[in-house]
Amino acid sequence: MSTLTFQGAVGEVTGSRYLIEVEGEGDGEDRVYRILLECGLHQGGKEADEANEAPFGALAKQLDAVVISHGHLDHAGLLPKLVREGYSGPIYCTRGTRDLLEIMLEDAAFIQAKDVEWENKWRKRNDKPLIEPLYELKDVERTLRLCKSQSYGQPVQLPGGVTLVFRDAGHILGSALVELAIPSGGQVKRLVFSGDLGNPSSVLMKDPEKLYEADLVLMESTYGDRDHRPLEETLEEFAQVLEEAHADGGNVLIPAFAVGRTQEILYHLGVLYHQGRLRQQMVFLDSPMAIKVTELYHRARKNLDAEDLKVLNIAASGDVSRYLPVLRMTRTVEESMAINRIHGGAIIIAGAGMCTGGRIVHHFRYNIEKSSTRLVIVGFQAGGTLGRQLVDGAERVRVLGHDLQVKAQVHTIGGFSAHAGQSQLIGWAGAFRNQPRFYLVHGEPASQEALKAALGETGVEAEIPAFGDRIVL
């Protein structure tokens, strides 16, 4: 019988990892094939760091294949570590995911190198043992060479007689629902993994595909306890925050989720600009990675929602300046530092999305103690992150060695989420026929319990697995 073991993203949103073991024949004798579904980075605090540092052990060399749903680091950010520890087999993903991984994993390796360099300077001074990064650029390069890109709807044969098909998840560029047909006990069992299910209200992405046949479904539950506000109300609130910031003479800080969210925010700023409602005359995209991703979205615009692109007449052109002329892309450190001389009237979109590092924390240092500043949170903030502290109303925060008083007005605008809300998750789950087994992953406990109860009211029974749980397919 084939089995699935939950190795990550259980009881938490990040760190996606599921091990599938398939009994089959190889070289004339019975053997077990091992397929790793996702290889994600844990995000948020010391426990996450410890989980990321834990070695894969023998698994790295035992695996026959890896399957990745999309390019966000919490789903794919440990791939180079897996390769560093000995994995050399195929990594299956969509073309969009492959292109995003090149940007995101290289950026992650660069940040780790800088962090380790600073940490080891302190350790040398204090006679402490030196540390190493999770992986380096050479590991990323080896990882990218292992990637095998597949189109949506194209069946692919994996080791052990498993068949893989990707479907459009509507979350970010290249994001996929994962369908796996797995031999088990003389039958073929169909496993469906939602990955991150997209929000149909979001712009740029197509709606998530609905599937109808499965024996077992792994479904994300990030926003399982609530629905997002209607997009119209969200945009009106966003516009009002920008208007108030302009009236108060302050800057607007938006922590940038480089993939998906940043491009959506730029789109809406473009709409406001052409409506004559964007009073700010300076919009900075202060994230080298987000700039690269934005340029990738433009190159891959044929895969985006054509109706959304028509709104700004950008279907035929990849030139961002056509729809947001006040946008300035700051690639260098010097350009980023120069923004701190601007004391009002600017919108600053900077990484990282959960405020765990990057350029946004430097802008905090110069802006967060001003009551005229608006901090706009447009994405999920994991427990243990600086972003979560700010959302939860922290009055003081520690930033770059400085104890700062939070005087900025913090606005959480959840309607921009690229994740499905509770009703959308229930609707997607309800399309399956014949009552497959549901397991809720990628959610904090309260969200999962709320979604489990809501699903139960519609006749869908779901379970909440724990780390290390192993089930028979």
Side-chain angles (χ1 to χ4, degrees), residues 57-72:
L59 181 64
K61 294 182 180 179
Q62 292 174 343
L63 288 172
D64 296 284
V66 175
V67 177
I68 299 296
S69 69
H70 67 285
H72 274 146

Side-chain angles (χ1 to χ4, degrees), residues 107-342:
D107 183 79
F110 175 79
I111 291 173
Q112 286 181 52
K114 289 293 184 183
D115 288 346
V116 167
E117 180 183 351
W118 279 102
E119 175 71 13
N120 282 339
K121 283 182 180 178
W122 177 87
R123 288 174 172 265
K124 283 182 180 179
R125 289 196 304 268
N126 293 274
D127 198 28
K128 301 285 186 181
L130 302 184
I131 61 172
E132 292 186 354
L134 296 176
Y135 49 83
E136 300 172 296
L137 189 58
K138 63 182 180 182
D139 303 310
V140 173
E141 293 169 349
R142 290 167 56 207
T143 300
L144 295 172
R145 288 197 293 268
L146 297 176
C147 288
K148 295 185 177 296
S149 303
Q150 311 298 327
S151 301
Y152 292 128
Q154 174 187 346
V156 184
Q157 294 302 311
L158 305 189
V162 176
T163 302
L164 160 69
V165 180
F166 289 123
R167 309 286 184 184
D168 196 341
H171 177 58
I172 62 170
L173 183 67
S175 62
L177 312 169
V178 178
E179 280 189 282
L180 292 169
I182 303 171
S184 182
Q187 299 177 305
V188 174
K189 297 296 182 180
R190 189 181 300 273
L191 183 154
V192 171
F193 173 50
S194 70
D196 281 350
L197 201 63
N199 179 356
S201 297
S202 296
V203 295
L204 298 179
M205 303 311 302
K206 298 173 183 177
D207 288 352
E209 291 189 46
K210 283 192 173 180
L211 303 180
Y212 303 96
E213 303 296 334
D215 297 291
L216 185 149
V217 179
L218 307 182
M219 187 170 76
E220 68 121 321
S221 52
T222 308
Y223 289 98
D225 59 344
R226 60 194 182 277
D227 283 326
H228 305 304
R229 291 178 64 190
L231 184 59
E232 296 78 11
E233 292 181 16
T234 298
L235 292 175
E236 198 56 41
E237 180 186 2
F238 185 46
Q240 187 63 35
V241 170
L242 299 181
E243 180 66 33
E244 291 174 0
H246 174 76
D248 285 353
N251 289 326
V252 179
L253 305 183
I254 304 178
F257 290 83
V259 182
R261 199 67 42 83
T262 290
Q263 292 71 43
E264 185 175 3
I265 293 298
L266 291 175
Y267 176 93
H268 290 305
L269 288 173
V271 172
L272 291 173
Y273 176 87
H274 287 284
Q275 291 174 344
R277 300 182 65 191
L278 185 64
R279 304 287 294 277
Q280 286 84 356
Q281 293 302 300
M282 294 175 288
V283 176
F284 294 97
L285 181 52
D286 190 28
S287 165
M289 181 168 68
I291 291 170
K292 290 179 182 178
V293 173
T294 300
E295 292 169 341
L296 173 60
Y297 265 59
H298 288 161
R299 293 196 300 273
R301 57 191 176 277
K302 67 183 181 194
N303 297 314
L304 304 180
D305 189 297
E307 294 302 313
D308 289 335
L309 296 183
K310 285 180 183 177
V311 173
L312 294 177
N313 194 27
I314 58 175
S317 170
D319 185 2
V320 68
S321 66
R322 288 195 178 193
Y323 69 90
L324 190 53
V326 296
L327 177 65
R328 305 179 190 183
M329 297 188 181
T330 52
R331 301 174 193 268
T332 69
V333 173
E334 291 75 19
E335 289 173 321
S336 177
M337 292 173 64
I339 298 172
N340 292 322
R341 295 197 289 268
I342 300 172

